[in-house]
Amino acid sequence: MALTRTDENELLTALYGGVFDTPPWGLFLTRLRARTNADICRIRVRPGDAAGFWREVQSASARTADDKDVAELNDLAPFADLRPGRVYSGTELGGGIAEHGRYMRVSAPNGGDVAVSMARARSDFTAGSAALLSGLASHLSIALRTLIGLERERLRANVAALAHARFAVGWLLLDDRGRILDLDSVAAGMLASGKAMRRVGDGRLRLIFPAAEALLEKILDRPDRLSRGARAAWMDIDPPVQIIFMQPAAGTGPSLTAPACLALVRPIVGPVEKEWRLLANLFHLTRRESALALRIAHGETIAEAGKALGLTLETARNYSKRIYAKTGARGQADLVRFLMSGVTAFA
């Protein structure tokens, strides 16, 4: 059945726009319920990598005198057994499914399924309501494909943000005038503090340290400088913060302003107490040995590190010998290289 102009304006706009809502498709289900005079409508999604596990993502129900009847409607059909794109009635499915119901499963090309159900407590649906649901099948498939793609990118973005946060590295994308196009939470926090950098009225990035600001101006004047390699400067010295300018990744679509420069910012942090567990796992160090190794890796001498940990100089030296033996380091410089280039950078 071809969708009417009203259906296209009301149902399809809500269906396609609903993939950006959390949870998705609330307005679409509300309009579908009103369009078909259903007592309740639901959408369930089954991920492509979790066969048999359906998740209800949205529902819309009528608020009438029959609320109790509506709440007791069983519209959880055996969706996995339904032929994609075909609309089933409750009487066809049986097994306690709501008699006055319509059920449809649709698959997405990139994996996953979406199931739509609508039910009434008393009278049955018209043939037109079932035909409407059938007419939405291809659109539901496209909407599900879009939703899966969006959720995958959100997951990747969250993982990348976590990795950046563990490295204490922030990033900003700048256009050819130095305006901030996008940034992550680490850079946003530094920007909000206003100590090392700030955003001026027209959206441009301004760096507080003159040397860093001068380097930024040079790069904006001739972005091709970055084709010969990244450039770095100090943004602050207390605590120390570095900034690295480099060419942005390729692949910007036509709907986004092309960035001219990627800026990475990283505070140089001191030892963190929780890092000792990583060293203990890697090199079978004790907690005291790990704490001493971390302090040495962050620039303290054996004497300074031992004093900070309440150790005598002799004890600190004995610990350092055991650390070198367990890690295979040939000296302090070797130990610093092991620790600062390994997984302790994540902590």
Side-chain angles (χ1 to χ4, degrees):
M1 174 185 177
L3 300 177
T4 67
R5 180 61 60 87
T6 300
D7 293 333
E8 292 176 352
N9 289 339
E10 295 189 356
L11 291 178
L12 294 188
T13 54
L15 176 63
Y16 289 124
V19 298
F20 299 99
D21 298 335
T22 305
W25 297 318
L27 180 60
F28 167 72
L29 275 191
T30 298
R31 290 179 175 177
L32 179 64
R33 191 202 64 75
R35 172 73 169 78
T36 59
N37 291 316
D39 288 328
I40 189 165
C41 291
R42 286 193 176 97
I43 284 186
R44 295 177 175 88
V45 170
R46 181 175 68 169
D49 58 353
F53 183 68
W54 291 91
R55 303 170 183 169
E56 181 176 315
V57 296
Q58 193 60 265
S59 66
S61 61
R63 297 298 177 187
T64 69
D66 294 326
D67 275 356
K68 183 177 180 181
D69 294 335
V70 171
E72 292 176 353
L73 286 173
N74 176 17
D75 67 339
L76 185 55
F79 293 112
D81 299 329
L82 305 188
R83 193 175 74 200
R86 181 174 182 267
V87 179
Y88 292 78
S89 67
T91 54
E92 286 182 277
L93 298 175
I97 303 302
E99 179 182 357
H100 306 310
R102 294 295 182 272
Y103 311 93
M104 183 177 69
R105 174 172 74 94
V106 177
S107 298
N110 53 343
D113 298 278
V114 59
V116 181
S117 64
M118 54 190 193
R120 290 177 179 170
R122 304 194 183 281
S123 61
D124 202 1
F125 290 96
T126 65
S129 295
L132 171 66
L133 195 58
S134 178
L136 290 170
S138 61
H139 299 282
L140 281 162
S141 177
I142 297 170
L144 177 60
R145 180 181 181 181
T146 303
L147 179 66
I148 291 171
L150 283 172
E151 290 189 340
R152 184 175 289 120
E153 290 308 312
R154 286 170 185 156
L155 177 61
R156 289 173 176 172
N158 289 338
V159 171
L162 178 60
H164 279 294
R166 294 294 282 176
F167 271 117
V169 175
W171 58 265
L172 306 95
L173 282 174
L174 308 177
D175 69 6
D176 55 6
R177 292 177 54 193
R179 293 176 299 188
I180 300 173
L181 300 176
D182 203 354
L183 72 167
D184 74 341
S185 59
V186 175
M190 295 177 61
L191 200 64
S193 74
K195 185 180 180 184
M197 61 181 179
R198 59 189 175 89
R199 190 200 312 249
V200 295
D202 59 356
R204 288 178 298 154
L205 175 68
R206 282 293 172 260
L207 304 176
I208 306 304
F209 260 39
E213 176 67 15
L215 178 58
L216 174 59
E217 291 295 337
K218 280 185 179 181
I219 290 170
L220 293 178
D221 181 54
R222 287 204 29 212
D224 61 299
R225 296 174 190 269
L226 296 178
S227 64
R228 298 190 293 271
R231 305 289 297 275
W234 289 102
M235 291 177 63
D236 203 349
I237 57 173
D238 186 25
V241 182
Q242 296 172 341
I243 187 166
I244 300 173
F245 298 103
M246 56 193 302
Q247 284 188 316
T252 303
S255 65
L256 299 177
T257 300
C261 172
L262 168 64
L264 302 180
V265 293
R266 187 183 185 192
I268 308 302
V269 297
V272 180
E273 177 64 20
K274 63 185 176 183
E275 291 183 10
W276 74 269
R277 295 185 184 277
L278 295 176
L279 290 183
N281 292 337
L282 282 171
F283 301 111
H284 307 290
L285 302 178
T286 67
R287 181 168 186 165
R288 284 286 199 169
E289 290 168 352
S290 298
L292 184 70
L294 285 170
R295 289 189 170 275
I296 292 172
H298 284 88
E300 295 182 12
T301 65
I302 293 175
E304 291 170 339
K307 183 178 180 180
L309 295 173
L311 304 176
T312 65
L313 180 58
E314 187 62 28
T315 301
R317 285 174 175 166
N318 289 334
Y319 278 6
S320 68
K321 291 176 183 177
R322 294 206 294 265
I323 292 168
Y324 294 145
K326 291 179 180 181
T327 60
R330 294 185 295 271
Q332 187 168 345
D334 225 12
L335 180 65
V336 170
R337 180 174 59 84
F338 284 172
L339 270 56
M340 299 308 290
S341 62
V343 298
T344 53
F346 283 99

